[in-house]
Amino acid sequence: MINPIKMQPNNNVSSTKGPLVNDTITTNSHLNSHTQSLPLSNINTNTNSNTNNNNPTSAIENNSTALRPWQKEWENAFPIFEEYRNELRERPRPNLEILRVNQLDALKLDFEITEVLKSQFMRIFTFFKPELIDKYQPELLALLNILVYKLSIFNMGTTYGNILQNLRFRNERAVKDGPPNPDAFPLSTFQKIMYGIVLIGGEWAWNRINRLSVESGWSECAEDDYRRKAWVLLSRLETAFRLFSIINFLVFLYDGKYVTLVTRILGMRLVYARPSMTRRVSFEYMNRQLVWHGFTEFLLFLMPLVNIDRIKGLFKRRFSKPTSSSSSNNPNNEPLSAQAPQLIGISCPSCASEPPCIPYVASCNHIFCYYCLKASAMADNQFSCQRCGQTITSMKRYQPDLEPLNLNAN
């Protein structure tokens, strides 16, 4: 039979059972739980040499002799560490800074997720009567919001937008009254229930009351009627809620704690779910959007200053030839008296309207609509006729019963 002492000649204190060793282990664990660094300059460092003895009894005696000064030093230093610990407890905790842009992005993501689900949910009732859908729309939206609330806030204690932004809700009231480690305080059941009642139930009740007041005409009732007074009260409540929401948002921009008024009242603060995770933001898409936005703004500023019609006319005069047609107004440039006084078969060179509306004769003896000729001349002072290519310098009302006018002489 093999002797275990010969196989393990270097027995340490942890392998020896006894009341002294147990006290030593308890003292070490107590020391590690209260302090991270302890002055051990007076501890005897020759303990390892004493443990090399093959006799377990002599090892225990040597260790007990080496630990006595250590215990004495610890007993002397323990009140000082307790004083420091109590002082740290009494000091105010450092402010927890959460990026405001993360909280606002989470709120926006929650709104977008709800809108996407709402559009998909309402497609279920596509083949129902529109009057029926409009009548029970507040109830349908409340049912959708209850489903989202149950799967997010009630079950997980946070929303899907908060999860995407590495955020979670924390019970701030429990943090004020709790121990120094406030990072693990989940929402209470009361907070979750009140959050759902205020947001979902409040929105449904407000929509229903507003519909009832509009359909019943509460605002048109007499001044002493209770419905008129209820309508005035609802208007004042809405104004007060919006005012307090604006004040809460301004306070949020200052301290960065509560985004909405409901979360401030219930003490639900957003904190990081994993503080060690860094926020990675890619500015490539943002820079691209800013560049295109600036470019479009510059184009919108520049377009009113550019005469598009004049540019088009310039290109037409340079690169296109005058159009010739058998139904030309005056192909041989003859006086108007040589043609039939009626405008049958004559069309406007600009809009091809037959006959021209309010006919006017241009300096090239072709007949245009007044609006076509006047608008083209105002847009481009070098406007040329589409039939003959001549630059139009004057125009007159077409009067076939009078003496022919030689417009070319002008």
Side-chain angles (χ1 to χ4, degrees), residues 92-98 170 172 254-255 257 269:
R93 300 188 183 98
N95 294 329
L96 182 62
E97 294 293 338
I98 308 297
R170 187 180 72 178
E172 196 69 11
Y254 175 75
D255 59 9
K257 290 185 178 181
R269 185 182 177 185

Side-chain angles (χ1 to χ4, degrees), residues 175-332:
V175 172
K176 295 180 180 179
D177 302 331
N181 184 18
D183 295 332
F185 286 96
L187 297 179
S188 62
T189 306
F190 174 78
Q191 287 176 319
K192 294 179 181 179
I193 294 176
M194 290 304 300
Y195 187 83
I197 291 175
V198 172
L199 285 187
I200 303 175
E203 182 181 358
W204 171 82
W206 187 258
N207 291 333
R208 270 299 171 195
I209 293 176
N210 281 335
R211 285 196 174 197
L212 181 62
S213 63
V214 172
E215 293 174 358
S216 303
W218 290 5
S219 60
E220 299 176 359
C221 296
E223 293 292 337
D224 56 347
D225 195 341
Y226 74 95
R227 292 173 294 181
R228 172 75 178 187
K229 295 179 180 179
W231 180 79
V232 173
L233 178 62
L234 289 175
S235 301
R236 292 179 179 177
L237 288 176
E238 183 179 5
T239 304
F241 178 76
R242 292 183 178 180
L243 179 62
F244 283 116
S245 298
I246 294 174
I247 295 174
N248 175 79
F249 186 73
L250 294 176
V251 175
F252 163 74
L253 294 179
Y254 175 75
D255 59 9
K257 290 185 178 181
Y258 302 98
V259 185
T260 62
L261 185 62
V262 177
T263 56
R264 181 176 293 274
I265 294 174
L266 296 177
M268 301 167 54
R269 185 182 177 185
L270 286 173
V271 296
Y272 290 120
R274 293 180 295 274
S276 59
M277 180 181 294
T278 59
R279 184 173 186 264
R280 297 180 180 179
V281 181
S282 178
F283 294 98
E284 181 180 358
Y285 177 76
M286 188 182 300
N287 293 335
R288 190 183 308 165
Q289 288 294 107
L290 290 175
V291 169
W292 281 108
H293 180 73
F295 184 68
T296 52
E297 289 289 336
F298 176 73
L299 288 181
L300 290 176
F301 169 76
L302 190 62
M303 288 302 293
L305 305 178
V306 179
N307 194 340
I308 302 298
D309 295 327
R310 186 169 184 177
I311 296 176
K312 289 168 60 178
L314 178 62
F315 276 95
K316 285 182 178 180
R317 289 192 296 268
R318 291 294 182 89
F319 302 104
S320 64
K321 297 181 180 180
T323 59
S324 58
S325 176
S326 58
S327 61
S328 174
N329 295 346
N330 196 358
N332 298 324

